[in-house]
Amino acid sequence: MDSNKKYWKGLEELNKTPEFVELNKNEFAEPIPIEDVLTSGGLLGKTPRRDFLKALGFGVSAVTLAACQPVPVHKALPYLIKPEEVTPGIPNYYTSTYEGQAILVKTREGRPIKIEGNPNDIIGKGGVSAQAQASVLDLYDVNRIKNPLKDGGDYGWSQLDEFVKAELTAIKAGGKKIRIIASTVHSPSTKAVIADFVAQYPTAKLINYDAVSYTGIIQANQNSFGKAVLPHYNFDKADVIVSFGADFLGTWISPEEFTRQYVSNRNNKSLQAKKMSRHIQFETGMSITGSNSDVRIPIKPSEEGIALIALYNAISGATLPGTKKLNNVVADKAIAIVAKELLNAKGKALVVAGSNDVATQVLVNAINSLLGSYGTTIDLDNPSLQYAGNDAEFVEFVSDMKRGDVDAVFFLNANPAYDYYNSKDIAAGLKKVRLRVSFAPTTDETSSLCNVVAPNHYYLEAWGDDNALEGYYTIVQPAINPVYDTRQAEHSLLVWSASTYKDYYSYVRNNWDKNLLAKGGLSGQSGWETLLQTGFVKVADKPAGSYTFSRDLNAVAQTILDHSSQLAEGNKVELQVFQSPAMRDGKRANNPWLQELPDPVSKVTWDNFIAMSPSDMKKLNYQDGDVVKIDANGYTVSLSVLSQPGQAQGTISVAVGYGRTVVGPVGINVGKNAFPFFSLRNGTFQTSAPAVLTATGENSELAQTQTHHSIEGRNSIIKEATFTEYIKNPSVATGKEEDHKDYNENNLFWQKHDRPTYDWVMAIDLNACTGCGACVVACSAENNVPVVGKDEVRRRREMHWIRIDRYYSFNDKGDGGVTREHEIAKLEDLDHVKVVYQPMLCQHCEHAPCETVCPVLATVHSSEGLNHMAYNRCVGTRYCANNCPYKVRRFNWFNYWNDSRFDNYLNNEHTQLVLNPDVVTRFRGVMEKCSMCIQRIQAGKLKAKIEKRPLKDGDIKMACQQTCSANAIVFGNANDPESEVSKALKSDRTYYVLEELNVQPGVGYQTKIRNISELEA
């Protein structure tokens, strides 16, 4: 490892701010609030009996009634297990689909409690996103619409049907337009239902509308090759990847699939084969993808198009008109080197861009054509169907409404009154529409403007199907009967179009029998049952063809240059709007698990903010938390500013998905809405704009989790090396080639205990972990980890059992990379920081320091190598947390599950029914931490015992391990030399965090390897 590397968690630690130094001098980060405990709902306060009653009252009764009515066996079959009825204590698994990805739904006593990836899924191969993991919680959201509404009042379904049909008949006779506005529909059966509806009402039309649009790519492929498709990208087939602002590991198109592909060329298996892909990222704000790249080059949005033109010129040898040099010296130098590397990898190269500008994507197509990428790393013949939004069609619809040409509109999984850049036009246009119907399952900004709300089933209550990739068809089946008096949107459309089908299930079944089962070689009842058990059918891919770009690029280049000039307007800063991996487009803003999931890079929770480079912060004399007003595109909003290393100078970044005004109590008015910063240019929505900043003089502290502890200058926590160094010596970063002293010799404090049967350990590959945070939400769902809210996070009281530590680093030109006394890092260093993500959980140390200081033996070591917690023994001294070098123990400051102060999170009515009954909820005054999913270990051993066989490697998977698309986490028995974890821990890259303390952790990490060459030098 480079001895000049300096690692730090945040700028407070790097610069040793007085507040940070003071907080880290104390034994505990915050004193026990005795007064608050004794009063204000504490020991002397009133018992929150209301919460107990409501948890056992209406909430439980509603869901229990739904859960106690098993789904008819002829309609839905549990995955693998086919019980006659629900068996208490035994989970059932149902296949279903989440946004095109095959999943498994775990139910207990009829209650869905956990989402898992389907191990045979084509997209994630068993891994799912944080959003998918959190989606189970929304089933129990008490803010869901409980019955049909008309003009804001309760209405019966039969009355509603009569009203809508009468209105549609009148509108049909009048000849005005009927529009269905939907987030991209890729369900074959839903498309068929809509087609039947259009046949009944000829003036009707489906318009696909996506809050975050990919129209630019689709239209560019139409212009370039005559195919209006979203390509299927193959990152696993690329030796060199160059991305211009595409966060393909975080939010771009299909991040779970791309993560799996990307990591396959960078994980332990690939490195052992002496193979590693190369990844260069040009971007404005620090994204997950940029932070994982080998080389990251900050550029302004106005420089992106110019850089692409320069790259095309360097690859093709041509000179497009208007070509000019970048003002960014680093980026200008990098382009020539990148072009050379791409040409050397011809046929195995891939260039992607996150822009929604058609001209920019046409130029990217031209570059990929020169590199021979079509047919290898890019597939146009087996495209992605995940996004098909048409920006121009939606803008035309808005104009039609304002002219009074639309008499009926139906909104399906779309909320343009919130996420359309000019929402005022939506509100104004809807006033002129006679029939306004929303299928929203919860009240949102658009449904509040509609005169009819026909609440849709939640996807866990619904039948359906999906087709997210060409040739890949998945099934949606209910895991519980409807909790409320809702009805599937497709069923409503069938009723209103006078269909002969009595329900949507019959329609789906008929569609599969006629059109889809045969694609998977299935037929009849047995084929249907097989489908319900496997969850999908896959048709063989068509041969991927190569495509040659032949279009003239002169006009394209001029369009790009014009756009760049508009962005670089005067002395204004350049604003870039982006999606955060947790909140995405804001549809799940009322989900507390997602609100409390730290942003992977900034580690901010419960808010969006202005990300600004440290250089600009210093120039403008801003401090973290200062509230700054942004004025762009005629829209003004005020947000807290945050100094973000890696942010391009002269730019700011703001996340969308926040600022909801009509939503449940969790998400309402959390952050500010950034969608109005979008603009329409050349027929597509653009996410960058020139902006003016104005200080307000206020300061609002952001709730960050990252700098709650200091690493105290211990650079041994992270170990990394270059790929070149690794090839020469696989042990270069771990030091295994050196003759280290055996820390076990003459140990006076701990005795060695034999573990003849099981020795549970874990391996985590830092080269595979992307920092997405899906494991954090999976752990919370599996282990009943409470949500504490923004104020408690500010007080350093977050409860996550696993966290993803983000470390910045640069080559310290100070005194050997250990300290920089009285010197603040050079600001240009902060523009080019490296990032490493490290999942940190209880290390289950053999010589656990927590065990030696607990006065009541509440934390003890098991005979299988795990560190156990006996909650009933714990008296809350917190000595264990103080003595833990990894800072992974959490203290319950409140009874989070039964305290009215936390009603907005998980303590309301039947939301508690999502709790895993195999894991006890903890109470105030006790410590908790990662148990290594002991309930899963015991369940695996019991299953093997019942089946009268030995426990096999892979029978037991941790919640964090199971959800990881990158397969970065491996768990197993160290006593089995053939287990995956044993082989991983034998790698030359394996090291143990703070090994010098001799606590002998049970979690081994594998070093971070970067494929750095001439470009980095």
Side-chain angles (χ1 to χ4, degrees), residues 141-277:
D141 186 354
V142 295
N143 301 287
R144 288 177 58 192
I145 300 172
K146 298 174 176 60
N147 48 257
L149 304 173
K150 181 179 179 294
D151 297 324
D154 293 344
Y155 219 55
W157 279 111
S158 58
Q159 294 172 292
L160 190 77
D161 291 339
E162 290 177 8
F163 172 77
V164 172
K165 285 192 287 187
E167 288 291 284
L168 286 172
T169 300
I171 292 168
K172 180 179 180 180
K176 284 195 175 182
K177 296 176 181 179
I178 300 172
R179 292 292 180 262
I180 300 172
I181 308 302
S183 180
T184 295
V185 176
H186 34 72
S187 161
S189 295
T190 302
K191 286 180 179 179
V193 168
I194 292 174
D196 291 347
F197 184 85
V198 172
Q200 181 70 15
Y201 303 102
T203 61
K205 179 182 178 181
L206 168 66
I207 296 177
N208 286 311
Y209 162 74
D210 296 317
V212 178
S213 172
Y214 295 90
T215 299
I217 299 178
I218 297 169
Q219 188 60 49
N221 285 317
Q222 173 66 36
N223 295 354
S224 302
F225 310 113
K227 296 176 75 74
V229 297
L230 188 63
H232 188 215
Y233 296 96
N234 299 307
F235 287 88
D236 52 337
K237 296 180 180 179
D239 288 345
V240 178
I241 301 164
V242 180
S243 169
F244 288 83
D247 186 15
F248 58 83
L249 299 179
T251 59
W252 192 68
I253 302 180
S254 186
E256 288 71 49
E257 180 185 18
F258 296 158
T259 295
R260 174 180 56 80
Q261 295 175 352
Y262 177 81
V263 167
S264 67
N265 281 336
R266 304 171 74 85
N267 58 15
N268 200 41
K269 183 178 179 181
S270 178
L271 288 170
Q272 287 177 343
K274 310 297 184 187
K275 179 185 176 183
M276 184 177 179
S277 64

Side-chain angles (χ1 to χ4, degrees), residues 513-546:
D513 284 342
K514 284 186 175 180
N515 304 312
L516 299 176
L517 281 179
K519 293 179 181 291
L522 304 173
S523 63
Q525 181 66 21
S526 63
W528 177 249
E529 293 180 1
T530 299
L531 170 69
L532 296 184
Q533 290 178 319
T534 58
F536 65 88
V537 297
K538 179 70 174 74
V539 181
D541 286 343
K542 304 170 188 173
S546 59

Side-chain angles (χ1 to χ4, degrees), residues 241-398:
I241 301 164
V242 180
S243 169
F244 288 83
D247 186 15
F248 58 83
L249 299 179
T251 59
W252 192 68
I253 302 180
S254 186
E256 288 71 49
E257 180 185 18
F258 296 158
T259 295
R260 174 180 56 80
Q261 295 175 352
Y262 177 81
V263 167
S264 67
N265 281 336
R266 304 171 74 85
N267 58 15
N268 200 41
K269 183 178 179 181
S270 178
L271 288 170
Q272 287 177 343
K274 310 297 184 187
K275 179 185 176 183
M276 184 177 179
S277 64
R278 180 120 158 88
H279 172 201
I280 300 101
Q281 184 85 2
F282 296 82
E283 64 180 6
T284 299
M286 179 78 80
S287 68
I288 283 187
T289 306
S291 60
N292 280 280
S293 63
D294 297 309
V295 178
R296 179 182 178 276
I297 300 164
I299 59 172
K300 297 178 179 180
S302 62
E303 295 172 337
E304 182 180 300
I306 299 172
L308 279 165
I309 291 173
L311 181 61
Y312 176 84
N313 289 342
I315 291 172
S316 66
T319 302
L320 292 175
T323 299
K324 57 182 179 180
K325 292 195 70 171
L326 288 161
N327 292 328
N328 188 323
V329 177
V330 176
D332 201 51
K333 177 184 175 183
I335 289 296
I337 302 170
V338 168
K340 184 168 65 175
E341 293 192 17
L342 286 169
L343 285 170
N344 289 339
K346 194 171 184 178
K348 293 185 177 181
L350 177 60
V351 178
V352 293
S355 172
N356 194 41
D357 178 60
V358 177
T360 300
Q361 292 294 345
V362 166
L363 185 57
V364 171
N365 289 348
I367 292 171
N368 280 312
S369 178
L370 292 173
L371 296 172
S373 300
Y374 291 98
T376 55
T377 58
I378 303 176
D379 188 349
L380 293 179
D381 296 293
N382 300 283
S384 168
L385 307 176
Q386 290 159 290
Y387 296 95
N390 189 310
D391 298 347
E393 280 193 354
F394 186 78
V395 171
E396 182 185 3
F397 154 73
V398 175

Side-chain angles (χ1 to χ4, degrees), residues 493-612:
L493 290 175
L494 287 172
V495 171
W496 300 337
S497 57
S499 171
T500 57
Y501 287 93
K502 294 181 180 179
D503 55 37
Y504 186 51
Y505 162 75
S506 302
Y507 193 97
V508 172
R509 176 68 191 272
N510 182 66
N511 190 34
W512 277 82
D513 284 342
K514 284 186 175 180
N515 304 312
L516 299 176
L517 281 179
K519 293 179 181 291
L522 304 173
S523 63
Q525 181 66 21
S526 63
W528 177 249
E529 293 180 1
T530 299
L531 170 69
L532 296 184
Q533 290 178 319
T534 58
F536 65 88
V537 297
K538 179 70 174 74
V539 181
D541 286 343
K542 304 170 188 173
S546 59
Y547 291 81
T548 302
F549 184 92
S550 58
R551 182 179 169 182
D552 180 70
L553 288 174
N554 290 340
V556 169
Q558 189 58 53
T559 301
I560 291 173
L561 291 173
D562 290 345
H563 188 203
S564 296
S565 299
Q566 291 172 5
L567 290 175
E569 182 183 326
N571 295 322
K572 294 183 179 180
V573 298
E574 296 183 27
L575 164 67
Q576 181 205 45
V577 183
F578 69 100
Q579 290 186 89
S580 71
M583 208 46 54
R584 299 280 179 98
D585 61 5
K587 282 189 174 70
R588 298 197 181 278
N590 202 51
N591 192 300
W593 283 342
L594 294 175
Q595 289 284 7
E596 196 146 301
L597 176 64
D599 177 79
V601 178
S602 69
K603 297 302 174 185
V604 172
T605 65
W606 291 98
D607 224 336
N608 59 346
F609 55 92
I610 302 169
M612 184 180 291

Side-chain angles (χ1 to χ4, degrees), residues 100 202 290 340 403 472 565 574 601 630 752 836 891 1010:
K340 184 168 65 175
R403 286 195 302 268
Y472 182 50
S565 299
E574 296 183 27
V601 178
I630 310 173
K752 180 80 174 173
V836 181
F891 182 71
R1010 297 187 193 276

Side-chain angles (χ1 to χ4, degrees), residues 644-663:
Q644 178 58 62
Q647 181 80 23
Q649 293 186 32
T651 71
I652 57 173
S653 295
V654 179
V656 296
Y658 294 85
R660 295 288 304 275
T661 56
V662 183
V663 71

